[in-house]
Amino acid sequence: MSGVPGLAAIWSRRKIPLAWLLLTRQPARLAVALAGISFAGILMFMQFGFRDGLFDASVTVHKLFDADLVLISPRSSSSVSMAGFPRRRLVQTLADPDVAGITPVHWNLVIWRNPKDLSTRSILALGFEPGDPLFTDPGLAAKAKVLNQRGRVLFDELSRPEFGPVAEWFREGRTVESEIGGKRVRVGGLVGLGVSFGADGNILTSSETYQHLLPNTPPGSIEVGLIRLRPGSDPAVVIERLKNSLPKDVNVFTKQGFMDFEKDYWRSSTAIGFIFTLGAAMGFIVGCVIVYQILYSDVSDHLPEYATLMAMGYRLPTLLGVVAREGLLLALLGYLPAYAAGQGLYSLVRSATRLPVYMDTPRAVLVFSLILVMCMGSAGMAMRRLGDADPAEIF
Amino acid sequence: MVEVEGLCHWYGSGEMRRQVLQQVNLTIQPGEVVLLTGPSGCGKTTLLTLVGALRQVQQGHVRVLGQDLNGSNRRQRQQLRQRIGMIFQGHNLLRCLSAEQNVQMGSDLLPNLGYRARRDQAREWLRAVGLGDHLDKLPHGLSGGQKQRVAIARALAAHPRLLLADEPTAALDKQSGREVVDLLKRLAREQHCAVLMVTHDPRILDVADRLVQMEDGRLIAAPVPEPEPAL
Ligand SMILES: Nc1ncnc2c1ncn2[C@@H]1O[C@H](COP(=O)(O)OP(=O)(O)O)[C@@H](O)[C@H]1O
Ligand SMILES: [Mg+2]
């Protein structure tokens, strides 16, 4: 309760809210300013959202794996160019006392034929032993049983619609058959994984079916090795041990390291980061120009009034504070519609592209900070105009 | 209250340097109403801005409300201005503020008063100048005379000991000019506030306790005329 009298005292010391009145009593000017700020904010939300969404989307499948450590070939550079390594290496890790279990995984892009219009498109195929744990999602084990029959696949119902109405047909109870690399497959069930950067869709098969679909795979070669550790063991220590004991024809990552490896590939080998950051910078600059124009002309228009206040004995810092508060209010008022529009556009993007673009707190804070910098910086520049207010010249 | 001694002022520099005030001497007693007249361009406004601490004193001696203005810094002048009320030729109200809010910009300068107290004082002042029914009007909704009355209320709201007015009736017709000046004098009297008013307007000279005339930057005392006989 001790804070309440203090607050009341502060509240009673308040003055006429000049900044607020300056803004709200000029609605046309305010509307232009807010439109400009919101536009800049929306642009930044979209650009950052796409950028982060694309990078996040590159590891949609990676995230799902039930693994503490991951083995891949040093020749693998990303999910779209995975090289094989001897399956033996994965089995060797079982010698380590902290390794609790392993899952060998085949991983490659294959050509899927749309069962409706017969067009073809490349899809990510993962092959594994149906009895092995593959994903952290416990629901997979039951569905995987069907894969024991040769030629059966589990189809990712979150795949892009270009692969055909597989999920709908399957749910209607129809037998859905398609071709992969010219070989007939039948959809034995549906899973929900999600599209990633390198793959517009996913299917799961047994190792046996996988070998059948891709007969060129050398026997005993896999692309990904999942390793699960005993509870309480330190992944960093185990990685060191494995690196020392295994030959150099495999790389060991933590699961996070595996995802970072993939993201880094897209970050460094594409201009995505640069393009979207540039787009956001454009929004920022446009916003700065608009806010500066608005505040500068606002100060200019009211210069005689500011001079009058100085003549009445108001301090220059008090008047600079009015401009600063105008900047702050513009930032707050402009951010809200940008935030709301950002939410709406993100859900639009999610449904149109299936990219995992969400309004997360760091991005919401980032865009707000940029808008704040934009408005306060512009206010700071506009303040210089106040130096021209000379109370001696108003008589 | 106001002591001016040997005040000289120049504008411009180098070739363009021109003297506008020459050895001005002037004293104003507390509560006194002094009118300053003279032809346009003779330096009246310049004198007012120097007394009002709006300009740095160049040469001579100016002492206002006990404060020496020679060698004063910005901060000292700004603080002194809080105790001087100013009324301008144009009304110079804040366009975005209602009449009441404009007057409160004056009372907001008073220390140690709560928001309500300052607002109530602002309303009181507007009633005193006869605008109790126009509290929420914006300046553009008021007539010239009404605006100037708001400006008087604003100037007085900060409880000044000295009121400076530069041709407050210049933009007004005869009738409302007269009303504004009478009001100004009455309220200043009630507040024991000294007034230094510049005017061109021969019709209002009779409100003065003392009339001072200026010519080419010099002051000459003049007798106060009798009030115009009512017709
Ligand atoms: N800021 C200024 N710079 C240069 N000259 C000025 C300035 N202000 C006024 N003057 C000149 O000084 C003279 C006196 O001006 P002023 O004090 O405004 O006279 P008044 O108010 O009696 O009409 C005029 O000739 C005017 O042109
Ligand atoms: Mg003048």
Side-chain angles (χ1 to χ4, degrees):
Chain A
M1 286 302 285
S2 68
V4 172
L7 281 180
I10 290 171
W11 180 238
S12 121
R13 240 179 283 148
R14 76 194 190 277
K15 307 260 163 102
I16 292 282
L18 195 49
W20 171 257
L21 293 169
L22 278 169
L23 290 175
T24 51
R25 298 251 163 100
Q26 305 174 94
R29 181 171 278 172
L30 179 63
V32 173
L34 292 188
I37 296 166
S38 306
F39 169 76
I42 291 168
L43 204 57
M44 291 192 281
F45 269 127
M46 291 319 290
Q47 302 287 326
F48 286 139
F50 273 124
R51 187 194 64 185
D52 299 350
L54 285 173
F55 289 135
D56 275 348
S58 65
V59 293
T60 317
V61 174
H62 298 56
K63 277 184 193 161
L64 303 174
F65 285 130
D66 181 11
D68 298 305
L69 304 180
V70 179
L71 289 191
I72 60 170
S73 160
R75 289 178 296 118
S76 294
S77 60
S78 77
S79 63
V80 292
S81 60
M82 294 297 273
F85 65 93
R87 181 198 157 107
R88 230 173 27 255
R89 298 283 174 260
L90 183 60
V91 179
Q92 277 172 343
T93 64
L94 282 172
D96 190 286
D98 279 337
V99 172
I102 56 170
T103 306
V105 181
H106 296 282
W107 171 305
N108 217 330
L109 292 168
V110 296
I111 305 296
W112 168 273
R113 186 178 291 281
N114 180 327
K116 189 175 185 199
D117 64 13
L118 305 182
S119 63
T120 57
R121 197 178 176 93
S122 109
I123 197 167
L124 178 65
L126 299 182
F128 67 113
E129 291 304 329
D132 285 350
L134 181 66
F135 294 148
T136 45
D137 172 18
L140 180 66
K143 291 181 188 166
K145 287 206 180 84
V146 71
L147 297 181
N148 284 318
Q149 279 175 273
R150 186 153 166 188
R152 299 296 162 101
V153 298
L154 293 175
F155 184 83
D156 177 7
E157 58 180 329
L158 300 178
S159 300
R160 287 193 58 86
E162 286 82 351
F163 292 104
V166 178
E168 293 92 276
W169 285 5
F170 183 84
R171 267 195 288 267
E172 285 165 17
R174 295 168 61 170
T175 303
V176 188
E177 292 199 320
S178 172
E179 269 176 21
I180 289 179
K183 308 222 163 77
R184 182 159 296 275
V185 292
R186 179 183 289 188
V187 175
L190 298 176
V191 286
L193 309 183
V195 301
S196 56
F197 211 179
D200 292 337
N202 309 287
I203 53 167
L204 304 181
T205 73
S206 68
S207 295
E208 192 194 345
T209 308
Y210 184 91
Q211 300 270 1
H212 170 68
L213 297 172
L214 290 125
N216 291 336
T217 313
S221 166
I222 57 173
E223 280 75 31
V224 177
L226 307 181
I227 300 172
R228 285 171 297 280
L229 302 180
R230 284 184 211 292
S233 53
D234 180 355
V237 174
V238 183
I239 280 198
E240 273 316 303
R241 272 205 306 267
L242 291 180
K243 275 183 179 164
N244 289 332
S245 64
L246 290 171
K248 295 290 162 240
D249 55 359
V250 283
N251 278 346
V252 197
F253 287 111
T254 58
K255 185 178 171 187
Q256 185 59 46
F258 181 47
M259 295 196 290
D260 291 343
F261 173 77
E262 178 74 13
K263 284 192 192 180
D264 281 344
Y265 169 79
W266 295 106
R267 209 167 282 165
S268 61
S269 68
T270 65
I272 291 165
F274 176 74
I275 289 170
F276 286 109
T277 306
L278 190 69
M282 299 280 290
F284 180 78
I285 291 168
V286 168
C288 281
V289 170
I290 294 176
V291 180
Y292 173 68
Q293 288 283 339
I294 293 280
L295 284 179
Y296 184 87
S297 56
D298 188 55
V299 173
S300 300
D301 286 357
H302 293 93
L303 216 49
E305 297 173 25
Y306 284 118
T308 304
L309 292 176
M310 278 161 129
M312 286 168 66
Y314 278 91
R315 297 176 58 202
L316 181 61
T318 308
L319 303 184
L320 295 177
V322 171
V323 182
R325 247 167 278 188
E326 283 188 84
L328 186 64
L329 285 169
L330 285 178
L332 292 171
L333 294 176
Y335 178 71
L336 293 179
Y339 181 85
Q343 291 270 26
L345 287 168
Y346 281 169
S347 77
L348 212 66
V349 168
R350 282 199 299 274
S351 64
T353 67
R354 311 223 167 151
L355 278 176
V357 187
Y358 294 92
M359 180 68 81
D360 58 0
T361 313
R363 196 176 319 120
V365 169
L366 173 67
V367 171
F368 180 68
S369 312
L370 286 171
I371 287 185
L372 199 60
V373 168
M374 180 168 99
C375 291
M376 296 317 282
S378 304
M381 303 269 283
M383 278 176 197
R384 294 183 310 176
R385 185 84 173 99
L386 258 189
D388 297 341
D390 182 357
E393 296 299 329
I394 52 171
F395 268 121
Chain B
M1 186 94 327
V2 176
E3 294 159 41
V4 178
E5 237 184 84
L7 178 65
C8 300
H9 198 84
W10 290 264
Y11 282 122
S13 56
E15 288 277 289
M16 304 296 292
R17 192 167 153 96
R18 218 165 58 76
Q19 187 164 13
V20 289
L21 291 183
Q22 308 184 21
Q23 293 293 329
V24 171
N25 297 312
L26 176 70
T27 326
I28 300 174
Q29 304 301 324
E32 198 180 15
V33 177
V34 177
L35 254 64
L36 179 60
T37 61
S40 182
C42 69
K44 305 183 295 295
T45 298
T46 307
L47 177 59
L48 217 59
T49 56
L50 285 164
V51 171
L54 294 165
R55 239 184 243 293
Q56 181 67 276
V57 174
Q58 293 172 346
Q59 190 190 318
H61 212 73
V62 179
R63 201 175 159 79
V64 177
L65 304 176
Q67 165 122 31
D68 257 315
L69 284 175
N70 302 67
S72 59
N73 60 31
R74 260 172 176 278
R75 179 105 178 97
Q76 288 166 332
R77 291 202 297 272
Q78 170 254 321
Q79 282 179 335
L80 178 61
R81 289 202 295 268
Q82 295 192 345
R83 299 191 284 143
I84 303 176
M86 299 191 195
I87 296 166
F88 312 93
Q89 180 171 348
H91 51 82
N92 282 44
L93 296 178
L94 275 62
R95 282 169 287 162
C96 296
L97 267 50
S98 68
E100 177 190 317
Q101 289 165 333
N102 260 292
V103 177
Q104 198 179 333
M105 287 308 291
S107 49
D108 274 356
L109 286 165
L110 296 172
N112 310 325
L113 266 187
Y115 184 85
R116 259 163 208 277
R118 282 178 272 124
R119 189 195 57 198
D120 292 344
Q121 286 197 2
R123 290 183 178 168
E124 238 5 90
W125 278 113
L126 275 174
R127 279 185 206 111
V129 299
L131 292 176
D133 298 334
H134 303 278
L135 297 179
D136 292 326
K137 285 220 176 122
L138 290 176
H140 73 251
L142 297 171
S143 73
Q146 287 171 329
K147 279 190 254 198
Q148 203 57 293
R149 280 190 272 164
V150 176
I152 291 172
R154 178 176 68 178
L156 289 169
H159 297 327
R161 305 280 81 211
L162 171 66
L163 201 61
L164 302 176
D166 195 359
E167 307 189 32
T169 59
L172 306 180
D173 59 45
K174 182 180 157 108
Q175 164 86 21
S176 48
R178 182 80 227 175
E179 281 169 15
V180 162
V181 174
D182 284 340
L183 183 70
L184 188 64
K185 178 166 180 180
R186 180 167 58 78
L187 293 175
R189 273 276 142 76
E190 286 170 17
Q191 303 295 311
H192 307 291
C193 179
V195 178
L196 174 58
M197 189 188 325
V198 169
T199 184
H200 263 336
D201 194 342
R203 299 165 306 200
I204 59 170
L205 297 182
D206 56 290
V207 298
D209 295 329
R210 188 147 63 88
L211 194 60
V212 180
Q213 223 162 12
M214 186 177 249
E215 226 163 79
D216 275 342
R218 280 176 231 273
L219 289 188
I220 14 177
V224 179
E226 290 303 308
E228 269 183 67
L231 296 178

